[in-house]
Amino acid sequence: MNEHDKIRELLALAAAGALTSAEEKQVAEHVRSCIACSNKLEAWRPIASELRRLPTPQPSSWLAQATLARAEAKLTEQAEHDWNRRLMIVVVAFAWVLTIASWAVFHVVSERFERLLGPQFSHTFFSQTLFSQRWISFAAFTALEWIAGGVAAVMLAIRQRGEGRLV
Amino acid sequence: MALDADVVRLRRGDLNALSELITQYQNRLYRYLLRIVREPAEAEDLFQQTWLRVVEKIRSFDASRNFDAWLFTLARNLAIDHLRRIRPESLDEPLANSRHSENVADRISSKDHSPLDHALAAERRTEISQAMAGLPMIYREALTLRFEDEMKIEEIAQVTAVPVSTAKSRLRRSLEQLRDALEARYPGGTWQ
Amino acid sequence: MSCFTKELRVIPQAAWIFAGFAYACLTVWLFFFVAPKDPEMAKLPRSVQALLVYGFFLLMVAWVALVGYIYGDAKRRQMRYVMWTLLAIFVPHAIGMILYFILRDPLPKTCSGCGHVEKAKFPFCPHCGTLLQPTCPKCDKPVEPTWTNCAYCGQQLPEPATRATQNPSVAT
């Protein structure tokens, strides 16, 4: 491709001001000596200048206000949502901490309890199942508690949703 | 820059910052959307949706990035999704007769002095608006971003999600097609 | 985090007093009287004992504070606060508390007409009938300001700035 063709490709972009400084220098130098290309460049000028001065279309006068109202509502809704999510994470973590802590408490309390009852109970069925396999019994107990909690949750959720539909 | 301060405040949930940003971008954003979808009512609706999307995603926006480009990218994506659902053909093909452009040309506010200049300038701008409205969407977009928003080529490339070279060649082709359209409609006129 | 401090004020004073008092009593009793005599605890250095006793009972303080919060919060949201407080206390492992936070009602709104505080889900005030919340022009269901169409009947909604004035308030 000879130089004219190359420059001609850049002319439109030159009128748009979208060339790198190296490319602009290239075009300026060529145009100084080549009248044909110079004319072509000038032919772009009116289009470019009118494009720059196109009137700005005006939106309706209430657009900004309406958008603001909607966006503000969304912003507050999101802030609440974020806050609730953080709160839930804290409460769930707390629930787990309580579960683990209750293991420790159970361990401590049952040891003291065992010692208090004295060795005469160590041969009974009660102490053998409950206290010797202490961890298993406690795990079972915790599982029962969580299941009970889960059932309560499901019942409450169903009731809540039922109420919601009536209103 | 005051804009960056507003963006930072918006991230913290400041409502006044939101109001200022919306007013600041009102004309530019509306104009960009209008150039893409060519219907004022749709452009206004998309304008609102863009700002709702901004509120949704402002937390994940890195304040050191260019807010302009991000805002326009959000708007662009919404507009393209909208067009895909409503008028998919308008995304690719140029319009045979640009009836949409009349809405754009209606709101002319000319700054020229003499009545003759005023008439000539208004006429030229109408011609350009109409010819532009008949171009394919990516060309309209390139023209409005470069000439009306005065975005640098690098920013345009960012907003339209293409490499800089593609953005440049799109701009060039858009100008060439615009000139061809003008010469075709007004042969022997001021555009030769 | 001013949101956090605002929420802390929901906890009734009584809860803090009770928690503080119980904390002081229990930790002092355990640390000074029970721990030294206990064979296992005595093996640990006093600082570790202090950490265990005082740290562990902070959990208790947190638990009482949460129960207090649920009491105050359920009250201001006009829910059945006695039921929820009992649930929070007796459903084990804070599951009751989790349930409460999932299922709680939104904050009630103040009526602009008569000043009564009403539940957020009511579109009209039960005392004076003023419109509290914009409603759909076609199906009269309450609509959110961020909506462009009614979620119940699909009707396109007018702009939020004009919505409230278009819906007439119903006289009781």
Side-chain angles (χ1 to χ4, degrees):
Chain A
M1 211 179 357
N2 73 29
E3 178 150 7
H4 278 290
D5 294 328
K6 261 194 276 172
I7 294 292
R8 217 154 284 178
E9 275 197 12
L10 295 177
L11 286 181
L13 288 174
L19 292 175
T20 61
S21 49
E23 289 169 331
E24 276 201 37
K25 243 189 268 176
Q26 216 184 347
V27 170
E29 272 183 34
H30 179 97
V31 153
R32 231 177 286 154
S33 43
C34 172
I35 298 193
C37 289
S38 167
N39 286 340
K40 283 210 152 34
L41 180 61
E42 284 312 303
W44 280 117
R45 298 261 186 243
I47 295 183
S49 76
E50 291 305 324
L51 277 173
R52 281 199 185 92
R53 280 151 46 191
L54 276 179
T56 306
Q58 299 292 318
S60 309
S61 52
W62 46 255
L63 183 63
Q65 210 186 356
T67 310
L68 187 62
R70 279 220 175 100
E72 276 185 9
K74 182 122 217 218
L75 205 58
T76 39
E77 179 188 310
Q78 266 205 299
E80 262 188 56
H81 184 79
D82 280 342
W83 166 251
N84 273 328
R85 202 154 41 102
R86 257 183 253 154
L87 193 59
M88 281 309 292
I89 292 172
V90 168
V91 176
V92 170
F94 186 64
W96 276 107
V97 168
L98 277 188
T99 311
I100 294 168
S102 65
W103 281 56
V105 169
F106 182 76
H107 175 78
V108 165
V109 164
S110 65
E111 257 187 10
R112 308 286 172 278
F113 197 59
E114 223 178 37
R115 229 177 291 132
L116 237 88
L117 288 179
Q120 65 261 40
F121 280 99
S122 61
H123 298 294
T124 63
F125 177 72
F126 185 67
S127 85
Q128 287 209 313
T129 49
L130 208 65
F131 290 114
S132 50
Q133 286 103 29
R134 190 181 300 146
W135 298 114
I136 298 174
S137 67
F138 184 67
F141 180 60
T142 307
L144 248 159
E145 282 187 317
W146 275 90
I147 290 172
V151 169
V154 171
M155 281 173 48
L156 261 172
I158 291 176
R159 204 232 220 117
Q160 196 88 350
R161 220 170 289 147
E163 273 179 10
R165 242 181 269 127
L166 287 174
V167 178
Chain B
M1 207 174 107
L3 169 65
D4 292 336
D6 282 336
V7 172
V8 170
R9 278 161 63 202
L10 180 64
R11 290 189 73 196
R12 280 194 257 115
D14 186 343
L15 294 174
N16 290 328
L18 183 60
S19 161
E20 275 170 47
L21 281 171
I22 291 182
T23 336
Q24 219 171 355
Y25 280 99
Q26 188 180 355
N27 286 329
R28 281 182 62 194
L29 190 57
Y30 174 70
R31 174 179 61 200
Y32 177 62
L33 285 167
L34 186 61
R35 295 278 181 246
I36 296 188
V37 300
R38 295 182 292 200
E39 290 286 342
E42 289 175 26
E44 287 180 345
D45 189 50
L46 286 168
F47 180 88
Q48 296 197 26
Q49 283 185 41
T50 306
W51 283 108
L52 287 180
R53 195 57 78 83
V54 166
V55 165
E56 250 177 76
K57 300 204 164 151
I58 191 72
R59 286 285 177 83
S60 57
F61 173 70
D62 179 8
S64 59
R65 276 164 49 201
N66 185 349
F67 182 73
D68 258 30
W70 182 68
L71 177 67
F72 275 68
T73 312
L74 280 180
R76 176 178 204 264
N77 293 337
L78 280 171
I80 292 183
D81 285 343
H82 171 86
L83 283 177
R84 275 214 192 101
R85 266 178 295 138
I86 311 277
R87 283 193 304 277
E89 69 282 355
S90 74
L91 274 172
D92 301 307
E93 288 155 31
L95 268 192
N97 47 338
S98 50
R99 56 188 172 81
H100 300 281
S101 62
E102 279 139 38
N103 301 318
V104 171
D106 274 345
R107 311 197 204 187
I108 288 178
S109 59
S110 179
K111 296 186 208 96
D112 289 283
H113 300 299
S114 82
L116 183 63
D117 281 340
H118 180 110
L120 274 176
E123 198 181 303
R124 282 156 76 117
R125 283 177 206 148
T126 316
E127 290 172 5
I128 282 207
S129 301
Q130 287 186 349
M132 191 161 112
L135 295 177
M137 182 223 120
I138 47 172
Y139 292 159
R140 289 202 303 276
E141 181 180 36
L143 290 174
T144 187
L145 286 177
R146 180 66 203 103
F147 290 99
E148 292 189 282
D149 283 293
E150 312 221 323
M151 274 194 182
K152 290 182 281 208
I153 274 287
E154 294 78 19
E155 276 184 86
I156 297 180
Q158 205 182 342
V159 169
T160 52
V162 294
V164 173
S165 53
T166 313
K168 271 187 161 171
S169 66
R170 268 192 198 167
L171 182 60
R172 180 173 52 82
R173 266 184 282 138
S174 66
L175 281 168
E176 287 169 2
Q177 264 207 23
L178 180 67
R179 183 194 53 192
D180 293 342
L182 284 168
E183 283 171 8
R185 286 155 136 251
Y186 311 102
T190 43
W191 305 113
Q192 213 65 33
Chain C
M1 273 302 230
S2 65
C3 209
F4 182 63
T5 43
K6 248 193 282 163
E7 296 295 310
L8 276 185
R9 270 185 233 131
V10 176
I11 303 175
Q13 291 273 49
W16 289 119
I17 295 172
F18 174 74
F21 186 68
Y23 183 70
C25 292
L26 283 170
T27 51
V28 165
W29 174 62
L30 277 173
F31 185 64
F32 289 107
F33 296 104
V34 174
K37 296 204 200 110
D38 185 275
E40 267 198 37
M41 284 286 269
K43 283 185 231 156
L44 303 161
R46 280 302 259 179
S47 50
V48 178
Q49 285 184 18
L51 192 70
L52 274 178
V53 171
Y54 284 93
F56 185 79
F57 279 90
L58 281 178
L59 273 182
M60 185 208 74
V61 170
W63 188 84
V64 174
L66 261 176
V67 172
Y69 178 79
I70 289 175
Y71 177 84
D73 194 50
K75 208 169 183 190
R76 70 172 173 166
R77 287 166 197 261
Q78 303 187 345
M79 297 161 69
R80 286 184 290 245
Y81 57 92
V82 177
M83 177 191 94
W84 281 107
T85 313
L86 290 175
L87 271 173
I89 295 174
F90 290 110
V91 177
H93 299 314
I95 296 177
M97 298 178 181
I98 295 175
L99 276 179
Y100 171 73
F101 285 111
I102 295 175
L103 297 172
R104 63 177 172 175
D105 290 340
L107 283 171
K109 304 212 182 100
T110 323
C111 169
S112 44
C114 61
H116 277 265
V117 178
E118 299 305 334
K119 283 208 187 147
K121 58 185 173 184
F122 296 150
F124 294 95
C125 171
H127 293 265
C128 65
T130 22
L131 182 70
L132 294 174
Q133 197 179 5
T135 53
C136 169
K138 189 161 121 186
C139 65
D140 279 323
K141 292 248 169 62
V143 295
E144 299 288 323
T146 51
W147 292 355
T148 38
N149 292 74
C150 171
Y152 300 104
C153 70
Q155 166 76 25
Q156 192 164 25
L157 300 171
E159 290 307 320
T162 58
R163 229 176 260 169
T165 54
Q166 281 188 4
N167 289 294
S169 67
V170 175
T172 40

